[in-house]
Amino acid sequence: MSDDHTRVQEFFTARAADWDSRFPDDGPAYAAAVADLGLREGDRVLDAGCGTGRALTPLRAAVGPSGVVLGVDLTPAMLQAAVRAGRDRDGRLLLADVAALPLRSESLDAVFGAGLISHLPHPAEDLRELARVVRPGGVLALFHPIGRAALAARQGRQITPEDLRAEHNLRPLLAGSGWRMTSYVDEDDRFLAVAVREG
């Protein structure tokens, strides 16, 4: 495992047990972001970097009982927290790296990634891997329950021009990875970038 992966695992392992209690009011924001994906009954969707699985319930509601919901995370402790919360009833949980997904090419309709982009060690390659598993015309949502400025303030830091989530950085990054950005929202109470898988 690379040093980048070890750092991500260590960061989230230390926080897994109380992750949900630290952010108890995020549920409506997750549900609203999932609604913006336009998922349909029977769709197949991946929650990439699913953590404790907070998106799995709204994703399951969106695709219904005939749909497929997968949650992938690199950190066993986060997946264990998802199971303790009962969220494994809404989707199948897989211990895997988003850089090397154990999924067939073009097997999904959508990918949801909450807080994902800032933890990707190789964003262009990792976004290409997400594009590989999504059919042409499928959708990617990069989400955070608060915007960049609010998150930076919470963490006691400044936003820099190099921030990957800045529209001027994210749009070309997605374009070079097989995605076309269709909408971008960065407000205090929400960050959501939606992109379509290019054919």
Side-chain angles (χ1 to χ4, degrees):
M1 185 171 348
S2 74
D3 288 345
D4 291 320
H5 291 110
T6 301
R7 278 196 295 274
V8 169
Q9 277 192 329
E10 288 172 351
F11 177 88
F12 285 108
T13 297
R15 292 161 175 80
D18 68 343
W19 188 262
D20 286 351
S21 62
R22 291 174 61 202
F23 309 106
D25 303 322
D26 287 349
Y30 274 78
V34 167
D36 284 347
L37 275 174
L39 295 169
R40 296 181 303 262
E41 180 88 22
D43 275 354
R44 299 153 300 169
V45 61
L46 170 68
D47 184 0
C50 67
T52 62
R54 291 183 293 170
L56 297 179
T57 300
L59 288 170
R60 171 56 67 198
V63 303
S66 65
V68 173
V69 178
L70 301 172
V72 168
D73 204 274
L74 186 64
T75 306
M78 291 300 258
L79 294 176
Q80 290 159 8
V83 171
R84 281 194 304 275
R87 296 182 183 127
D88 56 324
R89 291 189 295 267
D90 292 314
R92 180 170 174 216
L93 299 175
L94 302 171
L95 179 64
D97 184 353
V98 298
L101 291 165
L103 302 171
R104 290 188 330 273
S105 295
E106 299 184 9
S107 60
L108 301 173
D109 299 294
V111 174
F112 185 84
L116 177 70
I117 189 80
S118 58
H119 294 288
L120 296 177
H122 307 288
E125 293 89 340
D126 298 339
L127 289 167
R128 266 196 291 281
E129 174 65 356
L130 293 177
R132 179 187 70 79
V133 299
V134 173
R135 64 170 174 77
V139 180
L140 168 69
L142 298 173
F143 165 74
H144 200 283
I146 60 174
R148 293 186 313 125
L151 182 61
R154 178 191 284 175
Q155 296 173 341
R157 61 177 178 79
Q158 298 290 319
I159 295 177
T160 67
E162 296 79 32
D163 184 347
L164 275 183
R165 292 162 299 172
E167 185 173 8
H168 66 270
N169 294 325
L170 187 56
R171 186 178 294 277
L173 175 64
L174 287 165
S177 304
W179 301 97
R180 177 176 49 82
M181 188 188 293
T182 57
S183 66
Y184 181 90
V185 177
D186 182 15
E187 300 167 346
D188 280 350
D189 61 352
R190 164 184 242 213
F191 175 89
L192 182 64
V194 177
V196 171
R197 171 75 166 88
E198 295 279 49

